[in-house]
PDB file of all heavy atoms in Angstrom:
ATOM      1  N   GLN A  42     -28.808 -20.914   0.443  1.00 56.00           N
ATOM      2  CA  GLN A  42     -27.911 -21.293   1.506  1.00 56.00           C
ATOM      3  C   GLN A  42     -26.628 -20.361   1.475  1.00 56.00           C
ATOM      4  O   GLN A  42     -26.091 -19.847   2.502  1.00 56.00           O
ATOM      5  CB  GLN A  42     -27.374 -22.751   1.320  1.00 56.00           C
ATOM      6  CG  GLN A  42     -26.326 -23.096   2.385  1.00 56.00           C
ATOM      7  CD  GLN A  42     -25.877 -24.610   2.149  1.00 56.00           C
ATOM      8  OE1 GLN A  42     -26.143 -25.294   1.221  1.00 56.00           O
ATOM      9  NE2 GLN A  42     -25.002 -25.053   3.167  1.00 56.00           N
ATOM     10  N   LYS A  43     -26.139 -20.131   0.246  1.00 53.00           N
ATOM     11  CA  LYS A  43     -25.020 -19.141   0.056  1.00 53.00           C
ATOM     12  C   LYS A  43     -25.375 -17.701   0.564  1.00 53.00           C
ATOM     13  O   LYS A  43     -24.678 -17.010   1.195  1.00 53.00           O
ATOM     14  CB  LYS A  43     -24.514 -19.148  -1.357  1.00 53.00           C
ATOM     15  CG  LYS A  43     -23.990 -20.334  -1.777  1.00 53.00           C
ATOM     16  CD  LYS A  43     -22.560 -20.695  -1.190  1.00 53.00           C
ATOM     17  CE  LYS A  43     -21.920 -21.805  -1.801  1.00 53.00           C
ATOM     18  NZ  LYS A  43     -20.768 -22.261  -1.068  1.00 53.00           N
ATOM     19  N   ILE A  44     -26.567 -17.263   0.177  1.00 48.00           N
ATOM     20  CA  ILE A  44     -27.063 -15.976   0.600  1.00 48.00           C
ATOM     21  C   ILE A  44     -27.096 -15.830   1.992  1.00 48.00           C
ATOM     22  O   ILE A  44     -26.745 -14.804   2.648  1.00 48.00           O
ATOM     23  CB  ILE A  44     -28.433 -15.558  -0.108  1.00 48.00           C
ATOM     24  CG1 ILE A  44     -28.270 -15.494  -1.672  1.00 48.00           C
ATOM     25  CG2 ILE A  44     -28.989 -14.386   0.429  1.00 48.00           C
ATOM     26  CD1 ILE A  44     -27.220 -14.297  -1.963  1.00 48.00           C
ATOM     27  N   ASN A  45     -27.725 -16.832   2.749  1.00 51.00           N
ATOM     28  CA  ASN A  45     -27.890 -16.842   4.170  1.00 51.00           C
ATOM     29  C   ASN A  45     -26.489 -16.837   4.826  1.00 51.00           C
ATOM     30  O   ASN A  45     -26.340 -16.161   5.880  1.00 51.00           O
ATOM     31  CB  ASN A  45     -28.693 -18.091   4.671  1.00 51.00           C
ATOM     32  CG  ASN A  45     -30.137 -17.851   4.351  1.00 51.00           C
ATOM     33  OD1 ASN A  45     -30.620 -16.707   4.156  1.00 51.00           O
ATOM     34  ND2 ASN A  45     -30.929 -18.957   4.127  1.00 51.00           N
ATOM     35  N   GLN A  46     -25.529 -17.550   4.287  1.00 53.00           N
ATOM     36  CA  GLN A  46     -24.206 -17.490   4.830  1.00 53.00           C
ATOM     37  C   GLN A  46     -23.551 -16.112   4.770  1.00 53.00           C
ATOM     38  O   GLN A  46     -23.002 -15.499   5.614  1.00 53.00           O
ATOM     39  CB  GLN A  46     -23.286 -18.532   4.161  1.00 53.00           C
ATOM     40  CG  GLN A  46     -23.558 -19.941   4.470  1.00 53.00           C
ATOM     41  CD  GLN A  46     -22.767 -20.902   3.609  1.00 53.00           C
ATOM     42  OE1 GLN A  46     -22.171 -20.550   2.702  1.00 53.00           O
ATOM     43  NE2 GLN A  46     -22.792 -22.153   4.011  1.00 53.00           N
ATOM     44  N   ALA A  47     -23.784 -15.525   3.604  1.00 49.00           N
ATOM     45  CA  ALA A  47     -23.313 -14.113   3.404  1.00 49.00           C
ATOM     46  C   ALA A  47     -23.895 -13.168   4.329  1.00 49.00           C
ATOM     47  O   ALA A  47     -23.285 -12.390   4.943  1.00 49.00           O
ATOM     48  CB  ALA A  47     -23.438 -13.704   2.004  1.00 49.00           C
ATOM     49  N   LYS A  48     -25.289 -13.241   4.459  1.00 48.00           N
ATOM     50  CA  LYS A  48     -25.998 -12.383   5.348  1.00 48.00           C
ATOM     51  C   LYS A  48     -25.511 -12.536   6.871  1.00 48.00           C
ATOM     52  O   LYS A  48     -25.322 -11.693   7.581  1.00 48.00           O
ATOM     53  CB  LYS A  48     -27.483 -12.626   5.243  1.00 48.00           C
ATOM     54  CG  LYS A  48     -28.083 -12.055   3.997  1.00 48.00           C
ATOM     55  CD  LYS A  48     -29.597 -11.987   3.953  1.00 48.00           C
ATOM     56  CE  LYS A  48     -30.395 -13.103   4.671  1.00 48.00           C
ATOM     57  NZ  LYS A  48     -31.738 -13.226   4.407  1.00 48.00           N
ATOM     58  N   ALA A  49     -25.261 -13.765   7.301  1.00 50.00           N
ATOM     59  CA  ALA A  49     -24.924 -14.084   8.584  1.00 50.00           C
ATOM     60  C   ALA A  49     -23.587 -13.421   9.042  1.00 50.00           C
ATOM     61  O   ALA A  49     -23.321 -13.028  10.046  1.00 50.00           O
ATOM     62  CB  ALA A  49     -24.845 -15.589   8.923  1.00 50.00           C
ATOM     63  N   GLY A  50     -22.641 -13.394   8.017  1.00 51.00           N
ATOM     64  CA  GLY A  50     -21.348 -12.827   8.358  1.00 51.00           C
ATOM     65  C   GLY A  50     -21.232 -11.321   7.961  1.00 51.00           C
ATOM     66  O   GLY A  50     -20.139 -10.812   7.995  1.00 51.00           O
ATOM     67  N   SER A  51     -22.208 -10.703   7.600  1.00 51.00           N
ATOM     68  CA  SER A  51     -22.135  -9.295   6.986  1.00 51.00           C
ATOM     69  C   SER A  51     -23.013  -8.315   7.846  1.00 51.00           C
ATOM     70  O   SER A  51     -23.675  -7.538   7.248  1.00 51.00           O
ATOM     71  CB  SER A  51     -22.637  -9.444   5.579  1.00 51.00           C
ATOM     72  OG  SER A  51     -21.912 -10.236   4.784  1.00 51.00           O
ATOM     73  N   VAL A  52     -22.992  -8.423   9.185  1.00 51.00           N
ATOM     74  CA  VAL A  52     -23.752  -7.444   9.890  1.00 51.00           C
ATOM     75  C   VAL A  52     -22.917  -6.184  10.028  1.00 51.00           C
ATOM     76  O   VAL A  52     -21.822  -6.172  10.508  1.00 51.00           O
ATOM     77  CB  VAL A  52     -24.114  -8.069  11.250  1.00 51.00           C
ATOM     78  CG1 VAL A  52     -24.759  -6.901  12.150  1.00 51.00           C
ATOM     79  CG2 VAL A  52     -25.017  -9.235  11.154  1.00 51.00           C
ATOM     80  N   HIS A  53     -23.414  -5.104   9.469  1.00 54.00           N
ATOM     81  CA  HIS A  53     -22.740  -3.797   9.607  1.00 54.00           C
ATOM     82  C   HIS A  53     -23.642  -2.743  10.291  1.00 54.00           C
ATOM     83  O   HIS A  53     -24.855  -2.648   9.786  1.00 54.00           O
ATOM     84  CB  HIS A  53     -22.294  -3.290   8.208  1.00 54.00           C
ATOM     85  CG  HIS A  53     -21.402  -4.165   7.549  1.00 54.00           C
ATOM     86  ND1 HIS A  53     -20.077  -4.294   7.960  1.00 54.00           N
ATOM     87  CD2 HIS A  53     -21.425  -5.015   6.507  1.00 54.00           C
ATOM     88  CE1 HIS A  53     -19.464  -5.184   7.129  1.00 54.00           C
ATOM     89  NE2 HIS A  53     -20.354  -5.579   6.258  1.00 54.00           N
ATOM     90  N   THR A  54     -23.279  -2.216  11.367  1.00 59.00           N
ATOM     91  CA  THR A  54     -24.071  -1.143  11.981  1.00 59.00           C
ATOM     92  C   THR A  54     -23.304   0.168  11.842  1.00 59.00           C
ATOM     93  O   THR A  54     -22.251   0.400  12.177  1.00 59.00           O
ATOM     94  CB  THR A  54     -24.232  -1.368  13.475  1.00 59.00           C
ATOM     95  OG1 THR A  54     -24.832  -2.734  13.664  1.00 59.00           O
ATOM     96  CG2 THR A  54     -25.039  -0.298  14.177  1.00 59.00           C
ATOM     97  N   LEU A  55     -24.106   1.076  11.082  1.00 61.00           N
ATOM     98  CA  LEU A  55     -23.417   2.357  10.917  1.00 61.00           C
ATOM     99  C   LEU A  55     -24.283   3.509  11.707  1.00 61.00           C
ATOM    100  O   LEU A  55     -25.538   3.419  11.642  1.00 61.00           O
ATOM    101  CB  LEU A  55     -23.532   2.769   9.406  1.00 61.00           C
ATOM    102  CG  LEU A  55     -22.641   2.070   8.494  1.00 61.00           C
ATOM    103  CD1 LEU A  55     -22.856   2.484   7.146  1.00 61.00           C
ATOM    104  CD2 LEU A  55     -21.213   2.098   8.844  1.00 61.00           C
ATOM    105  N   HIS A  56     -23.645   4.174  12.471  1.00 62.00           N
ATOM    106  CA  HIS A  56     -24.296   5.176  13.267  1.00 62.00           C
ATOM    107  C   HIS A  56     -24.222   6.593  12.479  1.00 62.00           C
ATOM    108  O   HIS A  56     -23.341   7.385  12.710  1.00 62.00           O
ATOM    109  CB  HIS A  56     -23.624   5.370  14.643  1.00 62.00           C
ATOM    110  CG  HIS A  56     -23.642   4.127  15.480  1.00 62.00           C
ATOM    111  ND1 HIS A  56     -24.685   3.871  16.351  1.00 62.00           N
ATOM    112  CD2 HIS A  56     -22.932   3.053  15.453  1.00 62.00           C
ATOM    113  CE1 HIS A  56     -24.573   2.743  16.909  1.00 62.00           C
ATOM    114  NE2 HIS A  56     -23.368   2.119  16.403  1.00 62.00           N
ATOM    115  N   TRP A  57     -25.247   6.674  11.692  1.00 64.00           N
ATOM    116  CA  TRP A  57     -25.241   7.867  10.816  1.00 64.00           C
ATOM    117  C   TRP A  57     -25.889   9.155  11.436  1.00 64.00           C
ATOM    118  O   TRP A  57     -25.460  10.225  11.457  1.00 64.00           O
ATOM    119  CB  TRP A  57     -25.947   7.510   9.519  1.00 64.00           C
ATOM    120  CG  TRP A  57     -25.754   8.705   8.464  1.00 64.00           C
ATOM    121  CD1 TRP A  57     -26.621   9.500   8.042  1.00 64.00           C
ATOM    122  CD2 TRP A  57     -24.563   8.955   7.705  1.00 64.00           C
ATOM    123  NE1 TRP A  57     -26.250  10.403   7.077  1.00 64.00           N
ATOM    124  CE2 TRP A  57     -24.866  10.049   6.907  1.00 64.00           C
ATOM    125  CE3 TRP A  57     -23.233   8.404   7.683  1.00 64.00           C
ATOM    126  CZ2 TRP A  57     -23.972  10.596   6.001  1.00 64.00           C
ATOM    127  CZ3 TRP A  57     -22.287   8.971   6.806  1.00 64.00           C
ATOM    128  CH2 TRP A  57     -22.663   9.964   6.040  1.00 64.00           C
ATOM    129  N   PHE A  58     -27.070   8.877  12.061  1.00 62.00           N
ATOM    130  CA  PHE A  58     -27.801  10.098  12.621  1.00 62.00           C
ATOM    131  C   PHE A  58     -27.695  10.140  14.135  1.00 62.00           C
ATOM    132  O   PHE A  58     -28.590  10.747  14.745  1.00 62.00           O
ATOM    133  CB  PHE A  58     -29.273   9.960  12.064  1.00 62.00           C
ATOM    134  CG  PHE A  58     -29.511  10.014  10.691  1.00 62.00           C
ATOM    135  CD1 PHE A  58     -29.851   8.938   9.980  1.00 62.00           C
ATOM    136  CD2 PHE A  58     -29.285  11.193  10.048  1.00 62.00           C
ATOM    137  CE1 PHE A  58     -30.006   8.875   8.640  1.00 62.00           C
ATOM    138  CE2 PHE A  58     -29.430  11.300   8.670  1.00 62.00           C
ATOM    139  CZ  PHE A  58     -29.764  10.165   7.994  1.00 62.00           C
ATOM    140  N   ASP A  59     -26.692   9.549  14.664  1.00 58.00           N
ATOM    141  CA  ASP A  59     -26.596   9.427  16.134  1.00 58.00           C
ATOM    142  C   ASP A  59     -25.927  10.748  16.697  1.00 58.00           C
ATOM    143  O   ASP A  59     -24.893  10.796  17.181  1.00 58.00           O
ATOM    144  CB  ASP A  59     -25.767   8.287  16.514  1.00 58.00           C
ATOM    145  CG  ASP A  59     -26.462   6.921  16.236  1.00 58.00           C
ATOM    146  OD1 ASP A  59     -27.588   6.822  16.508  1.00 58.00           O
ATOM    147  OD2 ASP A  59     -25.719   6.151  15.695  1.00 58.00           O
ATOM    148  N   THR A  60     -26.605  11.856  16.473  1.00 64.00           N
ATOM    149  CA  THR A  60     -26.158  13.082  17.033  1.00 64.00           C
ATOM    150  C   THR A  60     -27.348  14.048  17.373  1.00 64.00           C
ATOM    151  O   THR A  60     -28.247  14.155  16.584  1.00 64.00           O
ATOM    152  CB  THR A  60     -25.222  13.843  15.969  1.00 64.00           C
ATOM    153  OG1 THR A  60     -24.928  15.174  16.497  1.00 64.00           O
ATOM    154  CG2 THR A  60     -25.892  14.141  14.590  1.00 64.00           C
ATOM    155  N   SER A  61     -27.342  14.360  18.539  1.00 64.00           N
ATOM    156  CA  SER A  61     -28.320  15.290  19.073  1.00 64.00           C
ATOM    157  C   SER A  61     -27.922  16.767  18.969  1.00 64.00           C
ATOM    158  O   SER A  61     -28.606  17.714  19.256  1.00 64.00           O
ATOM    159  CB  SER A  61     -28.780  15.015  20.462  1.00 64.00           C
ATOM    160  OG  SER A  61     -27.648  15.054  21.321  1.00 64.00           O
ATOM    161  N   GLU A  62     -26.621  17.009  18.665  1.00 74.00           N
ATOM    162  CA  GLU A  62     -26.104  18.376  18.668  1.00 74.00           C
ATOM    163  C   GLU A  62     -26.323  19.132  17.317  1.00 74.00           C
ATOM    164  O   GLU A  62     -25.909  20.254  17.242  1.00 74.00           O
ATOM    165  CB  GLU A  62     -24.528  18.263  18.897  1.00 74.00           C
ATOM    166  CG  GLU A  62     -24.252  17.691  20.228  1.00 74.00           C
ATOM    167  CD  GLU A  62     -24.074  16.112  20.248  1.00 74.00           C
ATOM    168  OE1 GLU A  62     -24.005  15.674  19.181  1.00 74.00           O
ATOM    169  OE2 GLU A  62     -24.071  15.569  21.306  1.00 74.00           O
ATOM    170  N   GLY A  63     -26.813  18.381  16.327  1.00 82.00           N
ATOM    171  CA  GLY A  63     -27.064  19.106  15.009  1.00 82.00           C
ATOM    172  C   GLY A  63     -25.886  18.991  14.191  1.00 82.00           C
ATOM    173  O   GLY A  63     -25.779  19.639  13.053  1.00 82.00           O
ATOM    174  N   ASP A  64     -24.913  18.040  14.465  1.00 89.00           N
ATOM    175  CA  ASP A  64     -23.722  17.906  13.680  1.00 89.00           C
ATOM    176  C   ASP A  64     -24.076  17.233  12.386  1.00 89.00           C
ATOM    177  O   ASP A  64     -24.985  16.348  12.367  1.00 89.00           O
ATOM    178  CB  ASP A  64     -22.644  17.149  14.357  1.00 89.00           C
ATOM    179  CG  ASP A  64     -22.186  17.806  15.689  1.00 89.00           C
ATOM    180  OD1 ASP A  64     -22.181  19.025  15.742  1.00 89.00           O
ATOM    181  OD2 ASP A  64     -21.747  17.103  16.565  1.00 89.00           O
ATOM    182  N   GLN A  65     -23.348  17.432  11.269  1.00 90.00           N
ATOM    183  CA  GLN A  65     -23.711  16.767  10.014  1.00 90.00           C
ATOM    184  C   GLN A  65     -22.767  15.591   9.739  1.00 90.00           C
ATOM    185  O   GLN A  65     -21.621  15.727   9.755  1.00 90.00           O
ATOM    186  CB  GLN A  65     -23.491  17.821   8.820  1.00 90.00           C
ATOM    187  CG  GLN A  65     -23.608  17.277   7.515  1.00 90.00           C
ATOM    188  CD  GLN A  65     -23.269  18.260   6.479  1.00 90.00           C
ATOM    189  OE1 GLN A  65     -22.858  19.349   6.643  1.00 90.00           O
ATOM    190  NE2 GLN A  65     -23.401  17.779   5.193  1.00 90.00           N
ATOM    191  N   PRO A  66     -23.334  14.385   9.633  1.00 91.00           N
ATOM    192  CA  PRO A  66     -22.545  13.229   9.439  1.00 91.00           C
ATOM    193  C   PRO A  66     -21.941  13.277   7.912  1.00 91.00           C
ATOM    194  O   PRO A  66     -22.626  13.668   7.002  1.00 91.00           O
ATOM    195  CB  PRO A  66     -23.421  12.027   9.560  1.00 91.00           C
ATOM    196  CG  PRO A  66     -24.876  12.628   9.323  1.00 91.00           C
ATOM    197  CD  PRO A  66     -24.750  14.039   9.719  1.00 91.00           C
ATOM    198  N   LEU A  67     -20.660  13.038   7.801  1.00 92.00           N
ATOM    199  CA  LEU A  67     -19.947  13.090   6.495  1.00 92.00           C
ATOM    200  C   LEU A  67     -19.462  11.734   6.007  1.00 92.00           C
ATOM    201  O   LEU A  67     -19.368  11.523   4.842  1.00 92.00           O
ATOM    202  CB  LEU A  67     -18.716  14.036   6.533  1.00 92.00           C
ATOM    203  CG  LEU A  67     -19.053  15.491   6.944  1.00 92.00           C
ATOM    204  CD1 LEU A  67     -17.705  16.235   6.941  1.00 92.00           C
ATOM    205  CD2 LEU A  67     -19.993  16.156   5.896  1.00 92.00           C
ATOM    206  N   GLY A  68     -19.226  10.805   6.876  1.00 91.00           N
ATOM    207  CA  GLY A  68     -18.748   9.515   6.503  1.00 91.00           C
ATOM    208  C   GLY A  68     -18.852   8.546   7.628  1.00 91.00           C
ATOM    209  O   GLY A  68     -18.703   8.909   8.767  1.00 91.00           O
ATOM    210  N   ALA A  69     -19.036   7.368   7.217  1.00 88.00           N
ATOM    211  CA  ALA A  69     -19.118   6.247   8.269  1.00 88.00           C
ATOM    212  C   ALA A  69     -18.599   4.906   7.769  1.00 88.00           C
ATOM    213  O   ALA A  69     -18.610   4.631   6.499  1.00 88.00           O
ATOM    214  CB  ALA A  69     -20.600   5.930   8.725  1.00 88.00           C
ATOM    215  N   LEU A  70     -18.040   4.191   8.624  1.00 83.00           N
ATOM    216  CA  LEU A  70     -17.433   2.860   8.272  1.00 83.00           C
ATOM    217  C   LEU A  70     -18.017   1.845   9.316  1.00 83.00           C
ATOM    218  O   LEU A  70     -18.094   2.243  10.515  1.00 83.00           O
ATOM    219  CB  LEU A  70     -15.924   2.860   8.260  1.00 83.00           C
ATOM    220  CG  LEU A  70     -15.217   3.675   7.355  1.00 83.00           C
ATOM    221  CD1 LEU A  70     -13.672   3.667   7.633  1.00 83.00           C
ATOM    222  CD2 LEU A  70     -15.520   3.251   5.913  1.00 83.00           C
ATOM    223  N   GLY A  71     -18.202   0.725   8.946  1.00 76.00           N
ATOM    224  CA  GLY A  71     -18.630  -0.413   9.830  1.00 76.00           C
ATOM    225  C   GLY A  71     -18.134  -1.685   9.436  1.00 76.00           C
ATOM    226  O   GLY A  71     -17.648  -1.825   8.421  1.00 76.00           O
ATOM    227  N   ASP A  72     -18.098  -2.643  10.500  1.00 68.00           N
ATOM    228  CA  ASP A  72     -17.511  -3.958  10.249  1.00 68.00           C
ATOM    229  C   ASP A  72     -18.418  -5.032  10.703  1.00 68.00           C
ATOM    230  O   ASP A  72     -19.464  -4.671  11.372  1.00 68.00           O
ATOM    231  CB  ASP A  72     -16.138  -4.112  10.683  1.00 68.00           C
ATOM    232  CG  ASP A  72     -16.104  -4.225  12.218  1.00 68.00           C
ATOM    233  OD1 ASP A  72     -17.145  -4.105  12.837  1.00 68.00           O
ATOM    234  OD2 ASP A  72     -15.111  -4.543  12.806  1.00 68.00           O
TER     235      ASP A  72
END
Side-chain angles (χ1 to χ4, degrees):
Q42 179 183 6
K43 294 288 184 190
I44 292 299
N45 287 334
Q46 286 173 351
K48 286 191 324 190
S51 300
V52 176
H53 298 288
T54 301
L55 295 178
H56 297 268
W57 189 255
F58 297 107
D59 296 316
T60 177
S61 58
E62 299 87 14
D64 301 330
Q65 177 187 359
L67 297 178
L70 298 172
D72 73 355

